[in-house]
Amino acid sequence: MMRKSLWLMPLVLGACAAQAGGPTRSAASADAGKLLLAPVPPEATAHPALWPKPHWPQPRDAATEARLAALIARMTVEEKVGQIVQADIGSVTPEEAKAYHLGSILNGGNSGPGHDDLAPREKWLALADAFYAASVDTSNGGVGIPIIWGTDAVHGHSNIVGATIFPHNVGLGAARDPDLIERIARATALEIRTTGMEWTFAPTVTVPQDYRWGRAYEGYSSDPALVSEYVGRMVQGLQGPATGKDLLKGPYVIASTKHYLADGGTVDGRDQGDARISEEQLRDIHGAPYVPALEQGVATIMVSFSGWNGVKNTGNKSLLTDLLKDHMGFDGFLVSDWNAHGQVAGCTNASCPQTINAGLDMVMAPDSWKAMWTSLVAQAKDGTVPMARIDDAVARILRVKMRLGLFEAGKPSSRPYAGQWDLLGAPAHRAIAREAVRKSLVLLKDQGGVLPIKPGSHILVAGDAADDIARQSGGWTLTWQGTDVTNANFPGATSIWKGLDEAVRAAGGSAELAPGGAYRKKPDAAIVVFGETPYAEFQGDLKTLQLRPELRAPFATMQRLKAAGIPVIAVMISGRPLFMNPELNVADAFVAAWLPGSEGGGVADVLVAGKDGKPRFDFTGKLPTAWPATARADGPVLFPFGYGLGLNDRAPWTTLSEEPGVETSDSGNVWFARGIPAASWSLRVLDGAGDTTRITSVPAAALGGRVKVTATDHVVQEGARQFAIAGGPATVEVSSHAPVDLSRESNGDLLLVATMRVDQPPEQPATLAVNRTPIPFAAFSAATAGQWRSYGVPLKCFAAKGADMTRVETPFRLTTDGAARFSLAEVRLASVADVIIPCP
């Protein structure tokens, strides 16, 4: 099939020309060097003359260029393409990297040595050595160019157990401290170097304009001036001086500003969406941070999944080549995001000459790398991608490797700082992170002088986020989504509860932890820690600016405590401002803590007074973006950008309207939970021949009595539904008449996860389907009766079998032809499951 698709490629290139005007070869042309430029809509064409011209601080030198030219002249096409294609360590071995001459690898959010994303630090360094050794092995000929390893160290070296986890960028934006930003970058670079890596996909320099976006917390601010003030300092901390070379001799790594361009300006805040804005807005809001990044010599820039006025950035030549390289002078290399090339018009994950012709230098093809390498080799040989463009991309990559000093650095474990485990999570780094936490806190309300907590007080610490380091750290922490990890996975870290307990006791008081608010001794004050649960990328996209329904229980705790006459201090953990009027009304004090990371003691530094009764630190954080008065993204503002109280500020309080201004709630890709379908979803039993029963209450009977539905317990009383099937055929499904688009989730390696208990194994084989595309569900038939298990199937399994993942009406459809009895508690998307069912 692969050979057939490659054979057909030259015939269809004219039809799938680069949507952004990237040069592509006409299959009908006898002149292999003659290129055609596909037309680009005027509204998606950049005009470089309107943009600034930053000073690039790394001029090319004759010796390096001569060395590059000589090296490229020795390289085969296969070796050149190997430099351009990047693979994920979860989908490639060192032996394959050698065979395909790969020049770069990455670890995605859920990738780790031996497929263990919680692997100990030593295994990361050993794997870096293994890939390096494979890349420089010339025993079978070849040039042996050292490989580079990219990692998402976006708030510290956050993939590694034991690393310092700094606040996410939204909190750093509240801190208003460029010097702090540079110190964070330096500490992060050192920790990355301990495990042998050379490249971080950071800093994120997005300028979010709609905080429904699931990546908004990766941006410092909605204000381009504030973001721009930070960017150069972050790049300098990671890479060292703008003119620096031989970076691996010092405590540095190469950086990657992302995501170019306007990923924070998409319609409705949709991740991987489209920014429908003018070129002036593109330049003045989203382009502004790239000027200091370029002037600091940022080595790489990651191109966004998103598009501008209908054209995907990864295929937009006017943005990549004409503007960024030719006009603004960027002389590093461009890398794409995770399989983003597959979203360019006319492309697939396996083949996309358009993006290389548009100016992309390195294709992040994490699990599609082999097919991408194969197709690009063929396209380079037949002229579809001109050899001059291939050579330019390779030269840019090698130029960065030479700036690193990679050719002379030796294996990763032999380099400075490698294996110096006292640097990973070092006390000095944790001290910087704790400082960042306290500087990021924003005080929105303080009535009655409840803050700081007085010495000798007895304090209740409540809320479901109080003693959860993963919760306070957010996404991109140990795992992609930041989920399915416990406090035990954060050695040396401090939860908010632990920090508060230590501070209160040091001041002569006492504290008790009761997440639900049921105290043993009446407290002098209660601190309720609540907010969002971790998410990353599109999994965090919201329809409205409010907590999802299942996260709102702590509000009732606040109400009960306040009714008992106990002062309430609300501490909100979140990646963004949200509609919080009810919580603001009931709380005596309200603190936006953002996503503080591993050093929860920084919260106590400001909330709890010293033993002398004086504040240890004041609140200095200021809002990095406006705080909404309703849950509408385009609604009125409650607190403006830059708002934030100090302990001595006394702002009068007027009771706020508690009307969110919206009707819809967001299910968050949870379609069935606690025995109940999400809003606009239905639980149905059917036989495939027209007999359908919608289950709205239990007990219920369906299919002429062949299926009986009752309630059963899971986590909570009656938190699941049991289906007793006397005989088949019978289907249980969760469905809606309002289809959802799960194409991004399919590309992102997410799972359809059903939490189930098999009570009587089915007599006949069962299938599990999305829409009407089934796969065998043998794990269901083989399950041990009576055990609750979560069963996960990669969404890409259904996509590969032809399911239209852009219009999913039925994300769960279990069918059996025989008798069976099982219970269903939840149907959702997730990145982990107890049992993962491989694609057929």
Side-chain angles (χ1 to χ4, degrees):
M1 193 67 177
M2 179 63 70
R3 290 191 185 92
K4 181 178 181 182
S5 64
L6 289 174
W7 179 79
L8 289 172
M9 184 60 62
L11 302 181
V12 300
L13 276 174
C16 62
Q19 58 173 310
T24 187
R25 177 177 181 269
S26 168
S29 173
D31 180 3
K34 185 176 181 180
L35 304 177
L36 298 178
L37 292 178
V40 183
E43 63 272 16
T45 301
H47 298 81
L50 301 177
W51 290 67
K53 279 185 77 74
H55 169 70
W56 180 255
Q58 290 276 335
R60 296 183 183 181
D61 66 89
T64 299
E65 295 307 304
R67 184 183 180 190
L68 278 173
L71 187 56
I72 291 173
R74 292 171 50 207
M75 295 172 70
T76 64
V77 172
E78 289 79 4
E79 287 174 320
K80 293 176 180 180
V81 170
Q83 291 298 307
I84 293 172
V85 176
Q86 184 183 52
D88 180 75
I89 63 170
S91 300
V92 67
T93 65
E95 293 75 21
E96 289 174 318
K98 175 186 175 183
Y100 288 84
H101 317 286
L102 297 185
S104 177
I105 52 171
L106 79 148
N107 60 286
N110 283 338
S111 298
H115 301 284
D116 178 10
D117 49 5
L118 300 178
R121 58 201 182 185
E122 293 83 0
K123 289 192 175 182
W124 292 87
L125 183 55
L127 187 60
D129 274 354
F131 274 107
Y132 174 86
S135 69
V136 299
D137 183 353
T138 59
S139 58
N140 295 326
V143 292
I145 296 172
I147 203 165
I148 54 173
W149 183 331
T151 187
D152 279 296
V154 293
H155 63 139
H157 196 18
S158 51
N159 292 278
I160 309 299
V161 173
T164 307
I165 309 298
F166 295 94
H168 267 297
N169 284 356
V170 65
L172 299 182
R176 300 293 205 278
D177 190 338
D179 292 336
L180 174 66
I181 298 304
E182 185 171 339
R183 288 189 284 130
I184 288 172
R186 289 176 182 170
T188 300
L190 273 172
E191 298 204 12
I192 293 170
R193 290 291 298 279
T194 67
T195 54
M197 301 164 197
E198 309 93 353
W199 180 15
T200 174
F201 301 134
T204 304
V205 301
T206 184
V207 188
Q209 300 299 293
D210 188 328
Y211 278 77
R212 291 176 293 179
W213 184 36
R215 304 194 77 158
Y217 65 78
E218 296 184 52
Y220 297 114
S221 173
S222 60
D223 177 56
L226 176 55
V227 178
S228 298
E229 187 179 12
Y230 275 14
V231 171
R233 301 296 293 274
M234 189 71 173
V235 174
Q236 183 172 339
L238 291 167
Q239 294 189 169
T243 57
K245 299 184 184 300
D246 292 326
L247 304 188
L248 293 179
K249 290 182 178 179
Y252 304 121
V253 295
I254 54 172
S256 185
T257 45
K258 64 183 186 183
H259 304 86
Y260 182 83
L261 186 62
D263 55 339
T266 61
V267 174
D268 297 331
R270 178 178 170 81
D271 190 43
Q272 303 180 22
D274 193 46
R276 298 171 196 164
I277 56 178
S278 69
E279 186 170 1
E280 289 72 21
Q281 291 171 302
L282 185 73
R283 177 194 64 200
D284 297 341
I285 298 174
H286 306 283
Y290 285 89
V291 174
L294 292 175
E295 291 182 337
Q296 191 55 43
V298 66
T300 74
I301 292 175
M302 184 180 291
V303 184
S304 180
F305 274 112
S306 61
W308 175 43
N309 290 331
V311 177
K312 285 290 184 178
N313 294 347
T314 311
N316 191 327
K317 179 179 178 291
S318 77
L319 290 179
L320 305 189
T321 299
D322 302 342
L323 175 58
L324 187 57
K325 292 180 176 180
D326 293 346
H327 177 76
M328 298 183 79
F330 174 61
D331 204 31
F333 70 81
L334 295 176
V335 61
S336 60
D337 209 334
W338 185 281
N339 277 332
H341 59 279
Q343 296 187 14
V344 174
C347 290
T348 67
N349 286 356
S351 176
C352 190
Q354 294 92 318
T355 191
I356 305 300
N357 285 332
L360 191 74
D361 303 304
M362 182 179 288
V363 184
M364 186 186 290
D367 54 356
S368 58
W369 65 268
K370 194 174 293 185
M372 186 67 192
W373 183 93
T374 303
S375 64
L376 187 53
V377 165
Q379 291 151 4
K381 288 182 175 180
D382 72 9
T384 296
V385 179
M387 190 54 63
R389 174 76 270 270
I390 294 287
D391 287 349
D392 175 59
V394 173
R396 286 174 171 272
I397 293 166
L398 297 185
R399 196 174 289 117
V400 169
K401 289 185 176 185
M402 289 178 182
R403 178 182 175 188
L404 261 173
L406 190 67
F407 287 84
E408 297 77 30
K411 66 180 181 179
S413 64
S414 71
R415 301 170 189 165
Y417 315 106
Q420 293 186 21
W421 305 126
D422 58 330
L423 294 174
L424 190 69
H429 299 168
R430 293 188 184 277
I432 297 170
R434 185 165 179 160
E435 175 188 349
V437 172
R438 60 177 177 259
K439 287 183 173 178
S440 71
L441 302 177
V442 179
L443 181 61
L444 296 180
K445 178 185 179 183
D446 183 16
Q447 297 294 299
V450 67
L451 289 176
I453 300 294
K454 297 176 178 60
S457 299
H458 177 65
I459 301 300
L460 171 68
V461 181
D464 52 12
D467 191 27
D468 191 333
I469 299 170
R471 183 92 170 259
Q472 70 194 42
S473 298
W476 299 109
T477 308
L478 300 187
T479 66
W480 174 35
Q481 295 293 317
T483 55
D484 297 288
V485 289
T486 69
N487 286 0
N489 299 122
F490 294 90
T494 303
S495 72
I496 292 174
W497 149 249
K498 183 179 178 183
L500 289 167
D501 182 44
E502 291 174 352
V504 169
R505 286 190 289 107
S510 58
E512 63 176 293
L513 175 67
Y519 50 84
R520 297 185 299 273
K521 174 185 174 183
K522 187 173 182 179
D524 297 306
I527 299 172
V528 181
V529 189
F530 72 104
E532 294 189 294
T533 49
Y535 54 83
E537 299 191 63
F538 42 78
Q539 282 292 88
D541 283 3
L542 291 175
K543 294 183 176 69
T544 61
L545 288 173
Q546 57 187 333
L547 286 176
R548 288 175 171 141
E550 68 271 17
L551 299 176
R552 300 175 191 171
F555 175 57
T557 301
M558 295 182 208
Q559 289 178 305
R560 290 195 304 271
L561 293 168
K562 191 67 179 289
I566 300 168
V568 173
I569 301 158
V571 176
M572 179 179 170
I573 301 298
S574 73
R576 50 196 154 196
L578 296 170
F579 172 70
M580 282 286 123
N581 289 15
E583 291 82 357
L584 281 159
N585 280 334
V586 75
D588 295 277
F590 191 105
V591 177
W594 314 109
L595 297 169
S598 61
E599 306 313 302
V603 175
D605 286 347
V606 187
L607 265 61
V608 181
K611 201 165 187 176
D612 59 2
K614 296 179 181 179
R616 295 184 292 161
F617 297 93
D618 199 354
F619 286 92
T620 58
K622 305 298 180 183
L623 287 179
T625 190
W627 194 281
T630 70
R632 292 171 51 91
D634 59 352
V637 169
L638 178 60
F639 301 117
F641 167 82
Y643 183 85
L645 301 173
L647 288 170
N648 293 324
D649 295 328
R650 289 291 174 264
W653 187 259
T654 302
T655 301
L656 304 172
S657 167
E658 299 188 2
E659 173 54 51
V662 296
E663 296 181 0
T664 59
S665 287
D666 195 339
S667 67
N669 289 335
V670 178
W671 301 297
F672 183 83
R674 301 197 174 197
I676 302 171
S680 80
W681 293 83
S682 299
L683 176 66
R684 301 177 186 273
V685 178
L686 56 155
D687 64 359
D691 190 344
T692 302
T693 301
R694 182 182 177 193
I695 308 301
T696 57
S697 60
V698 289
L703 306 187
R706 285 193 293 113
V707 179
K708 299 187 184 301
V709 187
T710 55
T712 188
D713 296 343
H714 177 261
V715 180
V716 297
Q717 186 175 5
E718 297 191 358
R721 296 292 178 260
Q722 185 180 77
F723 302 85
I725 302 171
T731 294
V732 175
E733 71 174 27
V734 176
S735 60
S736 173
H737 293 298
V740 292
D741 181 355
L742 299 182
S743 56
R744 299 174 300 167
E745 289 81 353
S746 300
N747 180 48
D749 280 346
L750 283 172
L751 309 171
L752 167 67
V753 176
T755 301
M756 305 173 65
R757 183 184 68 198
V758 176
D759 302 305
Q760 175 189 327
E763 294 178 348
Q764 300 294 326
T767 61
L768 185 64
V770 166
N771 289 345
R772 295 183 178 274
T773 302
I775 66 168
F777 196 11
F780 177 71
S781 302
T784 302
Q787 291 185 355
W788 284 104
R789 306 286 281 171
S790 59
Y791 298 89
V793 185
L795 288 176
K796 64 184 178 184
C797 298
F798 301 104
K801 288 182 67 68
D804 183 358
M805 304 307 291
T806 66
R807 292 182 55 82
V808 175
E809 297 176 337
T810 308
F812 175 86
R813 184 181 177 93
L814 190 154
T815 300
T816 180
D817 288 332
R821 189 169 76 254
F822 67 92
S823 301
L824 178 66
E826 188 175 64
V827 177
R828 63 175 301 153
L829 292 187
S831 56
V832 296
D834 296 330
V835 179
I836 296 181
I837 299 164
C839 296

